Amino acid sequence: MKAYQRIIRECFWDMDISPVDIQNILRGDDWRKKNFLFEKILANSSKLYADLSIFPRDDLKKLLDEYIVPEYNRGFLLKRKNIAEILFFDKPCVIKELQWIP
């Protein structure tokens, strides 16, 4: 619950959402709500890995695979999405400044 409180403070400062609401979204079948939660965390969390870890692995894979990076804040969100893909699913790094130079 402590992690949920931080997520709420960092990602939902402009909304009225509770830890129980987050749990219900994670347990539920409403992909629109899951996607909303995912996008808020991806864009605003200071502890991206820990906060994305609240999603079941299969759900997180689907959310990352289907995520369309918006034009607004594109560079920032592309990097965060790729970092999540690297950490959770061993996908290749496409962030030029983080790639190994042979």
Side-chain angles (χ1 to χ4, degrees), residues 8-95:
I8 291 166
R9 189 173 56 254
E10 291 180 3
C11 305
F12 295 96
W13 53 268
D14 58 342
M15 299 180 65
D16 185 23
I17 189 169
S18 72
V20 172
D21 295 331
I22 292 174
Q23 286 179 332
N24 290 339
I25 291 169
L26 294 170
R27 292 180 186 149
D29 293 327
D30 188 336
W31 282 95
R32 185 182 52 81
K33 289 180 181 178
K34 286 184 185 198
N35 190 58
F36 179 72
L37 176 62
F38 166 77
E39 287 182 5
K40 292 291 263 183
I41 290 172
L42 187 69
N44 299 296
S45 172
S46 66
K47 295 187 178 188
L48 185 62
Y49 180 80
D51 293 345
L52 288 178
S53 294
I54 67 173
F55 289 93
R57 187 168 173 81
D58 291 340
D59 289 0
L60 182 58
K61 176 141 181 44
K62 180 178 178 173
L63 290 163
L64 282 166
D65 288 346
E66 294 179 359
Y67 180 65
I68 298 171
V69 180
E71 286 302 316
Y72 173 76
N73 226 357
R74 185 169 184 76
F76 175 75
L77 292 172
L78 262 174
K79 288 177 183 175
R80 288 178 66 94
K81 177 184 185 278
N82 188 224
I83 289 168
E85 292 170 330
I86 293 165
L87 293 173
F88 287 99
F89 301 106
D90 295 322
K91 294 215 176 171
C93 178
V94 297
I95 305 166

